[in-house]
Amino acid sequence: MSAPTRRLFGTDGIRGTANKPPMDAGTALRLGQAAGKFFNRGAHKHRVVIGKDTRLSGYMLEPAMTAGFVGAGMDVVLVGPLPTPAIAMLTRSLRCDLGVMISASHNPYEDNGIKLFGPDGLKLSDAQEAAIEALMDAPNFLDSLAAPAKLGRASRLEDAPGRYIEAAKAAFPRGRSLERLRIAVDCAHGAAYKVAPTVLWELGAEVVSIGVAPDGFNINRDCGATAPQKLGELVRERRADLGIALDGDADRLALCDEQGRIIDGDQILATIAGAWHREGKLTGGGVVATVMSNLGLERHLEGLGLALHRTKVGDRYVGEKMREAGCNLGGEQSGHVILSDFATTGDGLFAALQVLALLVEEGRPASEVCRRFTPMPQLLENIRYTGTSPLSDSEVEQAIAAAGQKLGNRGRVLVRASGTEPLIRVMAEAEDAAEMRRTVADLSALIRARAAAGSLKKAGAAE
């Protein structure tokens, strides 16, 4: 019997426009009821921790989910704005049955999302998400919720930020300090706007902060990990030793060296992997990354005698592969970095602290410490479509296969559908930049043509 399919959950929880399905209060209520029912097992008193970022719509989704969990017989612990990895950590440390993060990560304020964590602090599997969806759709589901005497209660945990701050400081190598370092940090007006600057300051750094004045609307707006240019300017202006840009829920980052140049997730992985390998701390004989990571990273790791295990896009899949391969380091080019010795999910602040520890140890500038390999020329183009995915077209399939064979070992081709939007992502890497550009242009032109044909066919059928 095949596993039930998912219609709500994507590659990173549920996401959509605020106050429209599935990001409306009614769906959030139903999700809370179903997830609460799914994790309500055993005779103990069940509870869930709920965190959020700084979006205005969090004020709508948080109470709706709270009502759903209470109705399922779960006690609810509210912690307010905190990074996604903090919710994963608190789920375990508070011995909760479930953790919830209300956030659309790097998306603009108009969007929101819901991520669920199991009692182990890990993101739910595809099968668990599908089972929760099946409960939401089950007939007479409401009849199985808690009796009046079994309803849960809701309370607020006031010291939740302090718990995360102390955990972050404990992950920094004992005996080292950030004294004499000037660090610029951009919190994207998001979930880490209080905790990230506090951690850096308490470890001894001089901290210059931007993106720390959330108003419900400005999260990720021209700032944070997806727009680190402003941080680069700040680094140069204030002569900072390192710039740290987090996204809205602080589970990913981009760094800027002392010259304001951006350091992406691949370089961060290479930097930490090299240091941990030298110190005997790297487990599993390699690193886990996604199909999007640069071929230059793979060749660099091979030179160190390390393997690069690739997964499909999504830090959840990176985490699953890390556990399977016994690796304690993994991540994505986009800046999700998972350090399983310290956290169960991507944590931008924890990853930045590992890089800072290396800067302190080596006493060299970030432009030298964090440039471990020369990236192979890489080009990515996004193609929006309506209706059926053009990737199901046989002509497109054949063209993709032919392009990969033509590049051979001089590069690679990756064409995939986005897990969160109706987009086809066309990516190519090649030692010859001109060949790379031709490959992307040819494939993109074909996919656009097939997408347009599919759209016209759909419109004709509608008439």
Side-chain angles (χ1 to χ4, degrees), residues 126-427:
D126 290 351
Q128 288 175 312
E129 291 176 344
I132 290 171
E133 286 194 24
L135 272 179
M136 294 174 69
D137 296 334
N140 303 318
F141 166 66
L142 296 179
D143 296 339
S144 66
L145 296 180
K150 299 292 185 180
L151 293 173
R153 300 173 185 267
S155 61
R156 187 164 296 278
L157 181 65
E158 300 294 345
D159 71 336
R163 292 184 181 219
Y164 179 70
I165 288 169
E166 290 304 314
K169 289 162 59 179
F172 193 72
R174 189 180 300 274
R176 296 184 198 175
S177 167
L178 296 180
E179 290 180 7
R180 283 177 274 181
L181 285 184
R182 179 178 296 151
I183 301 171
V185 59
D186 179 353
C187 297
H189 301 297
Y193 78 101
K194 287 184 178 179
V195 294
T198 300
V199 168
L200 297 169
W201 184 83
E202 290 188 2
L203 286 171
E206 178 186 343
V207 182
V208 182
S209 302
I210 58 173
V212 290
D215 61 9
F217 305 98
N218 58 2
I219 187 170
N220 298 315
R221 185 191 297 162
D222 301 322
C223 59
T226 54
Q229 295 77 15
K230 186 180 297 185
L231 177 66
E233 295 172 3
L234 180 67
V235 166
R236 291 190 295 271
E237 176 187 327
R238 299 298 299 270
R239 297 183 179 181
D241 297 286
L242 187 72
I244 301 170
L246 304 171
D247 70 339
D249 67 336
D251 66 349
R252 65 189 274 188
L253 84 157
L255 298 177
C256 292
D257 66 19
E258 77 285 356
Q259 300 171 27
R261 296 182 304 178
I262 298 168
I263 302 165
D264 70 7
D266 283 347
Q267 292 287 359
I268 295 168
L269 284 174
T271 300
I272 298 174
W276 283 13
H277 181 52
R278 290 192 303 273
E279 298 168 6
K281 296 179 180 178
L282 191 70
T283 64
V287 174
V288 177
T290 75
V291 291
M292 296 300 294
S293 278
N294 194 275
L295 196 54
L297 171 63
E298 186 170 342
R299 293 181 175 180
H300 170 75
L301 293 174
E302 287 175 354
L304 298 177
L306 300 172
L308 180 66
H309 306 283
R310 291 187 184 268
T311 73
K312 59 183 177 180
V313 172
D315 69 334
R316 175 160 59 103
Y317 303 114
V318 171
E320 291 173 358
K321 185 64 176 180
M322 288 171 65
R323 293 187 290 278
E324 177 187 320
C327 296
N328 60 349
L329 175 63
E332 299 186 272
Q333 186 184 68
S334 60
H336 289 111
V337 178
I338 303 176
L339 311 165
S340 62
D341 290 350
F342 307 110
T344 58
T345 187
D347 192 316
L349 180 58
F350 277 45
L353 289 173
Q354 293 302 308
V355 174
L356 284 167
L358 197 55
L359 292 185
V360 172
E361 178 189 353
E362 296 194 7
R364 295 188 295 135
S367 58
E368 298 177 14
V369 172
C370 300
R371 302 288 175 184
R372 295 290 169 164
F373 67 91
T374 300
M376 182 173 286
Q378 184 184 82
L379 182 62
L380 173 67
E381 190 161 338
N382 294 321
I383 302 168
R384 190 168 294 275
Y385 68 93
T386 57
T388 304
S389 168
L391 294 187
S392 60
D393 185 275
S394 60
E395 185 180 353
V396 171
E397 292 176 346
Q398 293 168 8
I400 294 169
Q405 291 173 357
K406 185 177 179 181
L407 281 178
N409 60 9
R410 301 187 315 279
R412 65 190 184 102
V413 171
L414 176 68
V415 181
R416 67 180 187 88
S418 167
T420 56
E421 304 176 79
L423 291 176
I424 301 299
R425 305 193 191 279
V426 181
M427 188 271 283

